[in-house]
Amino acid sequence: MTGKDSVVLVDKDTMPQIMAAGEKGTTTVTTLATVESQPNKAAERGKAMRQVVAAFVANLGTINTGLIFGFSAVVIPQLQAADSLIPVDESQSSWVASLSAIGTPIGCLLSGYVMDNFGRKKALIATQIPTIIGWIIIACASNVGMIYAGRVLTGFGSGMVGAPARVYTSEVTQPHLRGMLCALASTGISLGVLIQYTLGAFTSWKFLSGVSIVVPVAALILMLLMPETPNYLVSKQKPEKARRSLARLRGSSYNIDREVEQLQSFAAKTNASGKKSLSLRETIQALVHPSCLKPFAILTIYFMMYQFSGVNTITFYAVEIFRDSGTKMDKNTCTILLGVVRLIFTIVGAILLRRCGRRPLTFISGIGCGFTMIGLGVYLYFKHQWDTAVPPIEPTATWFPVACIFIFITTCTVGFLIVPWVMIGELYPMKVRGLVGGFTTCMAHSFVFIVVKTYPFLTHVLERHGTFILYGCFSFVGTIFFYLCLPETKGKTLQEIEDYFSGRTKTLKKAKQGSNDQQEHEGQQMLLANGAKPSVLSPEKNKLLP
């Protein structure tokens, strides 16, 4: 049987009879379908490894954010030690912990402007410079003022890297990879925290500062080799550069022209490419549009609830909290194990994000953080009673507060530490994505500063147990908000998400099966009208990306 005969046979109206006619006929049809689907899959999805490498390089700077977060947990006990080169009191310690979060919001705001006017790539390069300078100042510090200055500068760089890393990742990756790769930022932060916890248990804080310089230097050099995002280039009316960027990110077998056309069409629909830059009036109009205000409100409340769950209190004061919990385990060993658990479950959360979506992981975090913080608070209440009794009572079940802290980090990491950061790169409209992404990270880190700075104050007003119970209540209230207001963006393109918040579509939920069948039937009728053969209408083409 020739290839021509096979086509004629498949084109018969009685295809079910042909499929049942014999083994040979069945094999022929299957082979044709397989041959037909292979080029389509290659055209649909680019080279995954290229996108992974680009996302990894873009998120190298987030490891530095973790270094900054974990630094105070190990440096404060060293500064408070009797033989400290730079002795500090409780007030100065709280400033050492929280000052990085003062520089961060400023960096967040600046990063949005740099991203939208100079590009995502240049923003990621520029963010490393203040970070490098900050670590050098800390490493050379001879008084607490120099530590303050270094913390502000490193925090400033940390703020600048947050939004560009996530926006860059979301724009260079395809929907089936985007959720998992956007979570690299959270993985990087957790890795940085673990590095500081581990090295800080065995080295001095000056050596730790010197080692920390390596990460931003590597991020700067490698980012010079990466392409700009195609979305940004199309928005600046540079389609040829966008094609070259996509060729590096997707590979030669990918249908580059089609994606560029889709980006141009969407940019024209949203007026994102009408000018190379927006005027002040146009920028304000874009910022107050529902497509921007709605996701900004959702993410701002998300970050507030997530920060007041107590996650960065645990991160910034880990050694101190383990010391005061009454556990008989070594506080440095507990802190290192906490960093390991955080890193492992950040990776687990990144994988689950692709499979489960944003909402389920958020609910796991909200409920888990609520129960564990209240459980820790109740135990610390009884410990306070035991310590103040006459005579003092020996604490029992000292494993319980450690278990609460570890379960808290586990549940918090899989949702709270990943989902809102991923959504920064997903929810906002293209023409102000960088700017409003900077605003959002600014709000997020402002909450970090508030929580970290007020922790010592709250422990004096509410006692330690009351503070953690308060954090648990915030988590439960946040869970109710997330259930009512948080959209599910799993498997959705950035264009679909923007259409939803703009009101052009009413829901992000999948259409019912009957509706899908009707759309598929209409699509097949249209293709038949255009001369397509029934044999090439494969249902694989109509599947949504996972």
Side-chain angles (χ1 to χ4, degrees):
M1 181 179 292
T2 66
K4 184 176 179 180
D5 293 334
S6 299
V7 174
V8 172
L9 183 62
V10 173
D11 282 342
K12 295 280 186 182
D13 291 335
T14 58
M15 183 178 290
Q17 296 177 1
I18 295 173
M19 294 289 290
E23 184 177 352
K24 184 176 180 181
T26 303
T27 304
T28 304
V29 175
T30 302
T31 302
L32 283 172
T34 304
V35 171
E36 183 66 30
S37 66
Q38 285 176 347
N40 292 325
K41 286 185 178 179
E44 283 290 337
R45 296 186 178 183
K47 301 288 185 182
M49 184 53 64
R50 298 190 181 198
Q51 299 174 60
V52 170
V53 170
F56 175 78
V57 172
N59 286 281
L60 267 180
T62 62
I63 297 177
N64 183 71
T65 302
L67 298 178
I68 296 166
F69 282 9
F71 185 72
S72 64
V74 295
V75 72
I76 289 175
Q78 292 185 27
L79 292 175
Q80 291 176 337
D83 59 347
S84 173
L85 296 174
I86 306 176
V88 297
D89 56 27
E90 184 178 357
S91 176
Q92 290 172 321
S93 297
S94 70
W95 283 113
V96 170
S98 62
L99 268 177
S100 64
I102 282 185
T104 302
I106 302 171
C108 293
L109 294 175
L110 182 60
S111 72
Y113 175 81
V114 174
M115 250 199 301
D116 284 341
N117 289 277
F118 300 98
R120 283 59 164 142
K121 176 181 175 178
K122 290 180 180 177
L124 285 168
I125 292 171
T127 186
Q128 310 306 329
I129 298 172
T131 305
I132 294 170
I133 296 172
W135 282 122
I136 292 174
I137 292 174
I138 296 175
C140 300
S142 58
N143 56 66
V144 72
M146 292 182 69
I147 298 177
Y148 288 167
R151 290 287 284 171
V152 170
L153 279 173
T154 54
F156 176 73
S158 172
M160 283 192 69
V161 79
R166 292 166 177 92
V167 171
Y168 184 94
T169 304
S170 70
E171 292 184 354
V172 300
T173 56
Q174 295 176 277
H176 66 288
L177 294 172
R178 190 181 67 235
M180 183 172 65
L181 292 180
C182 280
L184 280 175
S186 299
T187 306
I189 294 173
S190 295
L191 178 60
V193 170
L194 175 59
I195 291 171
Q196 294 295 59
Y197 285 174
T198 305
L199 294 180
F202 308 105
T203 64
S204 70
W205 60 268
K206 278 183 171 288
F207 178 81
L208 202 59
S209 305
V211 171
S212 299
I213 299 172
V214 174
V215 173
V217 170
L220 188 153
I221 294 172
L222 291 175
M223 198 63 216
L224 291 171
L225 307 176
M226 294 295 107
E228 181 57 87
T229 72
N231 301 57
Y232 175 80
L233 292 171
V234 167
S235 73
K236 297 301 178 183
Q237 297 179 316
K238 299 177 180 178
E240 289 305 317
K241 289 187 177 181
R243 286 186 175 87
R244 291 197 293 270
S245 174
L246 279 172
R248 293 180 62 185
L249 294 167
R250 305 284 192 265
S252 58
S253 61
Y254 181 72
N255 191 339
I256 294 172
D257 289 335
R258 184 185 62 182
E259 182 164 347
V260 172
E261 289 171 3
Q262 289 174 344
L263 292 173
Q264 288 177 317
S265 174
F266 188 76
K269 180 170 65 174
T270 59
N271 297 317
S273 64
K275 297 181 180 179
K276 290 194 174 183
S277 61
L278 298 177
S279 66
L280 177 61
R281 180 179 178 182
E282 290 170 330
T283 300
I284 294 174
Q285 288 177 340
L287 290 175
V288 299
H289 192 272
S291 65
C292 183
L293 282 182
K294 289 178 182 178
F296 179 74
I298 290 171
L299 285 181
T300 298
I301 296 174
Y302 196 133
F303 277 112
M304 182 182 70
M305 294 299 181
Y306 136 52
Q307 291 298 340
F308 277 93
S309 72
V311 58
N312 278 313
T313 298
I314 299 292
T315 303
F316 280 66
Y317 295 100
V319 176
E320 181 181 332
I321 290 172
F322 278 120
R323 182 191 64 202
D324 296 337
S325 69
T327 180
K328 298 186 184 302
M329 296 176 62
D330 178 70
K331 61 183 182 300
N332 287 316
T333 302
C334 288
T335 303
I336 293 171
L337 291 175
L338 190 69
V340 172
V341 169
R342 173 170 172 154
L343 176 60
I344 291 172
F345 279 91
T346 302
I347 297 171
V348 170
I351 297 170
L352 291 177
L353 192 69
R354 184 181 180 188
R355 295 179 178 274
C356 303
R358 285 57 166 161
R359 282 172 60 88
L361 296 183
T362 298
F363 299 152
I364 290 172
S365 288
I367 296 171
C369 290
F371 279 116
T372 52
M373 281 291 98
I374 290 177
L376 177 61
V378 170
Y379 180 88
L380 292 177
Y381 170 78
F382 284 109
K383 181 178 180 296
H384 178 71
Q385 299 298 316
W386 297 332
D387 291 342
T388 56
V390 181
I393 301 172
E394 183 70 18
T396 60
T398 56
W399 57 268
F400 184 78
V402 176
C404 284
I405 293 172
F406 274 83
I407 297 172
F408 169 82
I409 285 295
T410 298
T411 56
C412 183
T413 300
V414 296
F416 282 174
L417 264 65
I418 297 175
V419 172
W421 298 107
V422 169
M423 286 185 138
I424 285 179
E426 292 181 333
L427 298 191
Y428 293 127
M430 173 62 210
K431 55 186 174 182
V432 288
R433 185 173 295 152
L435 184 61
V436 75
F439 285 152
T440 307
T441 52
C442 173
M443 296 301 298
H445 289 286
S446 297
F447 293 133
V448 173
F449 171 75
I450 293 170
V451 170
V452 174
K453 182 59 182 170
T454 58
Y455 172 69
F457 170 76
L458 288 175
T459 58
H460 286 296
V461 175
L462 302 176
E463 299 291 345
R464 227 173 273 276
H465 58 269
T467 302
F468 289 117
I469 290 173
L470 177 65
Y471 290 157
C473 293
F474 265 106
S475 293
F476 284 132
V477 172
T479 303
I480 297 172
F481 169 79
F482 301 140
Y483 178 79
L484 296 175
C485 301
L486 188 70
E488 179 57 74
T489 58
K490 174 180 175 286
K492 304 301 179 183
T493 66
L494 300 180
Q495 290 83 1
E496 288 173 334
I497 296 169
E498 184 170 339
D499 283 341
Y500 168 70
F501 282 112
S502 298
R504 290 189 284 268
T505 58
K506 293 185 178 181
T507 181
L508 280 172
K509 295 180 180 179
K510 293 181 180 179
K512 295 181 179 179
Q513 184 62 39
S515 176
N516 286 339
D517 293 342
Q518 177 67 22
Q519 290 175 2
E520 181 178 344
H521 176 73
E522 291 175 357
Q524 290 180 349
Q525 292 298 323
M526 186 179 297
L527 286 171
L528 287 170
N530 291 330
K533 298 182 182 300
S535 60
V536 304
L537 296 178
S538 171
E540 294 292 328
K541 299 180 184 178
N542 295 323
K543 286 186 177 179
L544 287 173
L545 293 173

